[in-house]
Amino acid sequence: MRRMLALITVLTPTIALAQSVPTFTKLVTIPQIQSALGAKADASSGTLTTPTITGGTLDGKQTVTTASGISATLSSLLGQQINVVNYGAVAGGTDSGTAVQNALSTAANRFPVYFPYSAYGYTLNSGTYTGKEIGTWLLNGNTIRGNAIGTPNSGGGTLVSPYTNPWLIATDQKSVYDPAAVPQGSKETMAAVSQECLPNRVNGQNANTSRNWITCLYAGADTGSGGTSGVDISTEVANWVLNISGNHGVTAELDTNFNAAVTDGQWTTGFFLTGGGAPGTNVNSVALSIMHAAYDGSWLPWTTGLSIREATNQIQQYKASAGETGFFQQAFDQSGNTLWQVDKNGYAKAVGFVSMATGNPAFSARAANADDFVATRASATDTGFFFRGYDESGNTLASLDKRGSATVAGLINTNHTGESASSTCTVGEMHADDLNIYVCTSAGTYKVAALTAIK
């Protein structure tokens, strides 16, 4: 027993350096001492198996092994997402500008900068931002306010505003890239973000194995309901901005490359504009709108509004039913007067030219020029027609070919009947009815001949 007490006396100072040895109220045996020593935690070495740790601190130097077997320090793993709170940011009205500035500097263009959600958000009154800071910010729907974010209402937003459109405010995520800073070869183009899909193909597990549709990128939005007069609620699915400051550019490029024939019987479309809605719903909408103006709203014309090249059929327009009304095309002057229009019955109207179902002349022109209409054949052997007119069955009503020969069905004009010899007329007029034929002479009066006198 004296030897055991001596052993306890010798061991006690050494054990106390690491962890206190339990105080025994009665004499213990050697196995009990061995069990106590085996259960102790050594602060300098050893293995903790399923420990429970309450409170305390970690200095970040601890090594953590990931599920893939890669070992890294705890501080390194936690630092792969920069949290502004870890740099001193405080949700609420307290200025967190310095903390956010330090977090952005630490991120060094590599890691996302994370803003934990707060109902109040964060205030940034200090720090200087341009809106061009490279990186990704996970704003998580926080309200960011303060002097340092600029003045979006007057077009001077920074940090949480896109620098190409400083009137906008990013609410959840903002990313800024600099692909021009990456070295490239002589014929390469650097892409900041690339999203691609592998070629579409039949999937044997589909419910319908002969049909497989995919979408590589989808962006959607819902305007919601409740729109009313005097309330402006505008929704945009995408807003693409290209600021031209001396160099040319393209806001959006859509490439459809034909590397083989289309063999499935369908049409390949470079740009497809479609939509839907409830039957009978009349809406104020424009399928495609092209507008241009100066920043102050004054007139600023496009060089070319719409350019189509190398297409067999440049424009095709169809009406849905025989009773459909409206226009295929309309053009107006500066006062809103019609200059040109083609309705869905095929009737065209333009200044100086009218072709309508309202009884207007088929052609009407004021002699603003020496020749109101000119048609020229390309050569002496050029064949075909300058003009052709058909009835509803496709029979020729009138034609003028490129040899100068004219054909008019029956060579008759029945606009006037019952003319008398005393009626005034224009030289060249000729009319006929069931009784007589009327020919206008150079005297400006008609010669009348009874049809019964003509054999």
Side-chain angles (χ1 to χ4, degrees):
M1 180 61 67
R2 291 193 184 94
R3 292 178 181 176
M4 183 172 61
L5 293 176
L7 176 61
I8 292 174
T9 302
V10 172
L11 291 177
T12 297
T14 304
I15 296 173
L17 294 176
Q19 179 177 307
S20 298
V21 175
T23 301
F24 299 103
T25 59
K26 61 181 181 179
L27 297 179
V28 295
T29 63
I30 293 297
Q32 289 175 321
I33 295 175
Q34 291 174 336
S35 176
L37 294 176
K40 77 181 185 65
D42 194 327
S44 61
S45 62
T47 302
L48 298 180
T49 303
T50 62
T52 298
I53 301 176
T54 302
T57 60
L58 297 174
D59 61 7
K61 298 179 181 180
Q62 291 73 23
T63 299
V64 178
T65 302
T66 64
S68 59
I70 303 300
S71 297
T73 62
L74 180 60
S75 60
S76 173
L77 292 175
L78 294 177
Q80 292 182 17
Q81 178 168 282
I82 304 299
N83 189 324
V84 295
V85 171
N86 294 337
Y87 289 80
V90 178
T94 302
D95 179 24
S96 296
T98 300
V100 171
Q101 194 91 59
N102 291 338
L104 295 179
S105 300
T106 304
N109 307 338
R110 295 173 298 160
F111 303 142
V113 177
Y114 178 74
F115 289 74
Y117 176 74
S118 166
Y120 184 92
Y122 298 84
T123 301
L124 306 182
N125 285 325
S126 59
T128 302
Y129 309 100
T130 65
K132 301 180 182 180
E133 290 80 10
I134 300 174
T136 298
W137 300 278
L138 304 179
L139 302 170
N140 297 304
N142 282 292
T143 298
I144 310 296
R145 55 175 62 85
N147 300 329
I149 69 167
T151 55
N153 280 338
S154 60
T158 59
L159 184 63
V160 291
S161 294
Y163 77 87
T164 56
N165 192 344
W167 277 270
L168 298 181
I169 292 291
T171 61
D172 291 274
Q173 179 175 320
K174 177 188 175 184
S175 297
V176 179
Y177 309 103
D178 188 13
V182 181
Q184 59 180 287
S186 59
K187 296 182 179 180
E188 298 171 358
T189 299
M190 311 311 289
V193 177
S194 175
Q195 177 169 316
E196 299 189 44
C197 296
L198 294 177
N200 195 6
R201 57 198 180 277
V202 174
N203 189 328
Q205 297 180 345
N206 288 348
N208 182 352
T209 56
S210 62
R211 178 187 181 279
N212 200 73
W213 292 9
I214 65 171
T215 297
C216 195
L217 177 63
Y218 175 81
D222 193 328
T223 64
S225 60
T228 183
S229 177
V231 177
D232 188 357
I233 301 177
S234 178
T235 301
E236 295 179 345
V237 175
N239 187 332
W240 295 358
V241 177
L242 174 65
N243 292 328
I244 307 299
S245 302
N247 297 322
H248 75 280
V250 178
T251 303
E253 178 179 342
L254 304 177
D255 291 333
T256 302
N257 300 317
F258 294 90
N259 299 318
V262 179
T263 58
D264 59 5
Q266 302 298 316
W267 287 90
T268 297
T269 306
F271 177 76
F272 181 61
L273 181 62
T274 185
T281 301
N282 296 321
V283 296
N284 296 325
S285 61
V286 177
L288 180 63
S289 178
I290 302 176
M291 296 184 290
H292 199 207
Y295 289 137
D296 62 3
S298 61
W299 182 64
L300 182 65
W302 289 104
T303 302
T304 301
L306 180 65
S307 177
I308 304 175
R309 297 187 297 174
E310 299 178 9
T312 302
N313 299 317
Q314 293 193 343
I315 297 178
Q316 289 183 324
Q317 296 169 293
Y318 301 87
K319 62 180 182 180
S321 65
E324 183 181 352
T325 60
F327 294 89
F328 284 129
Q329 295 178 22
Q330 284 185 290
F332 306 92
D333 66 11
Q334 66 279 4
S335 300
N337 301 314
T338 299
L339 294 176
W340 161 259
Q341 67 184 30
V342 179
D343 68 17
K344 290 187 176 180
N345 289 319
Y347 294 107
K349 181 178 180 180
V351 174
F353 178 87
V354 178
S355 176
M356 296 290 287
T358 57
N360 293 329
F363 180 81
S364 174
R366 238 173 234 186
N369 301 297
D371 299 308
D372 289 329
F373 177 77
V374 176
T376 306
R377 65 182 182 183
S379 65
T381 58
D382 187 10
T383 60
F385 293 87
F386 287 127
F387 170 80
R388 299 181 81 178
Y390 304 94
D391 65 10
E392 66 279 0
S393 300
N395 302 313
T396 298
L397 293 177
S399 68
L400 177 62
D401 67 19
K402 292 187 177 181
R403 297 174 301 170
S405 299
T407 300
V408 179
L411 195 59
I412 59 175
N413 186 326
T414 58
N415 288 341
H416 305 281
T417 59
E419 302 292 354
S420 66
S422 61
S423 300
T424 58
C425 58
T426 302
V427 177
E429 285 189 17
M430 183 175 65
H431 311 290
D433 55 27
D434 290 341
L435 299 176
N436 302 304
I437 184 170
Y438 312 90
V439 180
C440 188
T441 67
S442 60
T445 57
Y446 286 107
K447 290 290 186 180
V448 182
L451 292 180
T452 57
I454 301 175
K455 295 182 179 179

